[in-house]
Amino acid sequence: MDNFSFCTPTQVHFGRGSLDHLYDEVTAVGKKVLLVYGGNSIKRSGLYDKVKDILSDCEIYEQGGVEPNPRVTSVRAGAQLCKEHGIDVVLAVGGGSVLDCAKIICAAAYYDGDAWDLVLDGTKIKKALPLITVLTLAATGSEFDSAAVITNLDTDEKLGVLNPHLYPRVSLLDPELTFSVPANQTAAGSADIMSHIFEQYFASETNMVADGMCETVLRTVIASCPRAIANPSDYEARSQLMWASSLACNGFCSLGNGVRPWPCHAMEHELSAYYDITHGVGLAILTPRLMRFSLNEKTVERYCHYGKAVFDLPEESDRMAMAQKAIAKTEEFFKSIGLPDNLTVLGIDDKHIDDMAKHAFEHNGAFHLCMVPMTLEDIKRVYCECL
């Protein structure tokens, strides 16, 4: 097991009635609030009015309309509001895209240059406004980590940034706020959670403690997602997904593991940058292809172990056949929850494959450290296999 240092400064309030903590947590920081949110879903659900009512004696400014793949333009607009009005605290109400946008707004509020600079180079983030989040979608884990992913349409780039100043101060996690999430978003969010685990689990060096946590999160999502789709108001299913989401991406599930290059996310970010597709959908399409690429005589036992631990596959003397079944089970699960299994049905062809592969390879910079090292040509080949 590798050495590690780990700290999460985020205060979590989980469960029914978590919004009861909102007023005290916000006003402990200040009363000038920037409310960041996406489309009209929080208004249709009544959550917007509830938040405004709870904070009725606060001075609230708004940055609405944050996109599913949040744009740097929204970050710039939010940061400008913070600077103009002396905002004390940013309140993000929504899913991962809203939270990611809010994180960079918090950092850009203290930065004199362009917000995109902070995405290109996270070391430039030296300070950030306090962030409080109210989560409405289980997917990205942004409510419990120090990462954000932002898109720049002018440069066809979707990049992630990691900095300890980006941790939320407080996250309010009420599973009932996800009851209104439709089936397709529940499925895509579940694929995102699973992908976060895969990126940490299929590594060159792992350990038993981390493996056990990863496998439990995967089994939880596989059991809970179909239940949440069948009955959107199933509190237990929604709560399991929400906590799985939070744990899957803050690094806790891979403490002590070796290097983790996150190739699937690097490749999917290019798909989202060029085609603005749903992140979880792209991950679900890429995952089985990347698994098959990395299956060989050296990694076969890892996939067999995965199949047994996650899908209860029986042991087989033909290890390669067992590993293939584990990958097939993964693909079948994504199909069973309604996710597409190829890029062609999304209207994506091979037009930008060379550019996407080149960008992914250059921006990630660690494909050679994957469980099975990947070259630029390997990345292109996997993209092509997704068509």
Side-chain angles (χ1 to χ4, degrees):
M1 182 182 288
D2 280 4
N3 294 358
F4 61 84
S5 298
F6 182 76
C7 175
T8 174
T10 303
Q11 170 71 53
V12 171
H13 297 290
F14 186 96
R16 289 188 179 96
S18 295
L19 275 182
D20 293 345
H21 298 278
L22 180 61
Y23 181 81
D24 288 344
E25 294 290 6
V26 167
T27 56
V29 183
K31 286 198 169 184
K32 283 192 173 184
V33 182
L34 178 67
L35 174 60
V36 182
Y37 58 94
N40 292 319
S41 60
I42 69 165
K43 293 183 176 179
R44 291 193 300 268
S45 70
L47 180 57
Y48 173 86
D49 289 335
K50 188 171 185 178
V51 167
K52 293 290 288 287
D53 184 59
I54 291 171
L55 302 178
S56 60
D57 67 344
C58 292
E59 187 177 339
I60 299 178
Y61 299 88
E62 298 184 20
Q63 177 62 47
V66 174
E67 308 83 0
N69 289 306
R71 314 282 196 263
V72 70
T73 49
S74 293
V75 173
R76 290 167 179 151
Q80 186 61 35
L81 287 172
C82 291
K83 293 174 181 179
E84 287 178 0
H85 302 288
I87 294 297
D88 299 315
V89 56
V90 176
L91 173 62
V93 181
S97 295
V98 171
L99 273 56
D100 282 7
C101 182
K103 286 180 176 181
I104 307 302
I105 287 174
C106 289
Y110 285 113
Y111 183 67
D112 291 333
D114 182 54
W116 187 243
D117 295 345
L118 305 179
V119 181
L120 292 173
D121 182 2
T123 65
K124 292 184 176 182
I125 299 174
K126 305 299 183 182
K127 188 177 180 181
L129 285 170
L131 171 65
I132 295 175
T133 79
V134 176
L135 188 65
T136 63
L137 173 66
T140 70
S142 194
E143 67 279 3
F144 204 33
D145 70 17
S146 60
V149 180
I150 305 296
T151 297
N152 187 334
L153 293 182
D154 291 336
T155 59
D156 289 325
E157 290 177 297
K158 179 179 178 181
L159 302 177
V161 58
L162 192 71
N163 186 285
H165 293 293
L166 300 183
Y167 275 108
R169 174 186 170 91
V170 179
S171 285
L172 309 180
L173 312 181
D174 184 344
E176 289 188 341
L177 298 181
T178 66
F179 284 0
S180 60
V181 176
N184 64 321
Q185 291 184 20
T186 299
S190 295
D192 197 3
I193 299 169
M194 292 177 70
S195 183
H196 293 157
I197 293 295
F198 290 145
E199 300 279 30
Q200 302 167 83
Y201 184 81
F202 290 106
S204 298
E205 298 178 28
T206 63
N207 67 87
M208 289 179 65
V209 177
D211 280 358
M213 290 188 288
C214 286
E215 289 154 9
T216 295
V217 171
L218 291 171
R219 290 176 69 98
T220 297
V221 174
I222 290 167
S224 302
C225 178
R227 287 176 52 189
I229 290 173
N231 177 12
S233 299
D234 184 329
Y235 179 85
E236 189 61 24
R238 291 293 192 182
S239 63
Q240 299 281 0
L241 287 176
M242 179 171 275
W243 190 229
S245 167
S246 296
L247 289 179
C249 200
N250 76 337
F252 186 72
C253 287
S254 60
L255 293 177
N257 281 357
V259 64
R260 301 169 298 281
W262 289 60
C264 192
H265 275 68
M267 292 179 66
E268 200 294 317
H269 287 170
E270 296 301 323
L271 288 170
S272 296
Y274 277 85
Y275 296 100
D276 200 25
I277 66 172
T278 300
H279 180 53
V281 171
L283 293 171
I285 293 170
L286 282 163
T287 293
R289 278 78 176 193
L290 280 166
M291 286 181 167
R292 292 189 178 103
F293 167 82
S294 63
L295 175 59
N296 59 31
E297 293 299 330
K298 291 183 179 180
T299 63
V300 64
E301 289 303 324
R302 186 63 175 164
Y303 283 103
C304 289
H305 176 82
Y306 160 69
K308 182 177 181 180
V310 176
F311 293 106
D312 296 317
L313 291 181
E315 292 284 2
E316 293 188 32
S317 57
D318 187 337
R319 309 306 282 168
M320 195 61 71
M322 182 179 175
Q324 290 283 9
K325 287 178 183 178
I327 297 171
K329 280 284 189 180
T330 309
E331 194 167 39
E332 289 165 10
F333 173 72
F334 290 146
K335 290 180 184 178
S336 75
I337 58 175
L339 295 172
D341 64 354
N342 65 79
L343 296 175
T344 303
V345 298
L346 302 178
I348 297 174
D349 56 24
D350 62 358
K351 179 180 179 181
H352 296 296
I353 282 179
D354 286 351
D355 289 336
M356 291 191 301
K358 182 174 182 290
H359 290 167
F361 191 76
E362 291 175 350
H363 287 308
N364 178 278
F367 279 94
H368 64 291
L369 298 175
C370 292
M371 188 169 66
V372 173
M374 297 185 73
T375 65
L376 179 60
E377 291 305 313
D378 292 330
I379 297 170
K380 292 179 184 179
R381 190 178 85 198
V382 171
Y383 274 136
C384 288
E385 289 172 354
C386 292
L387 297 175

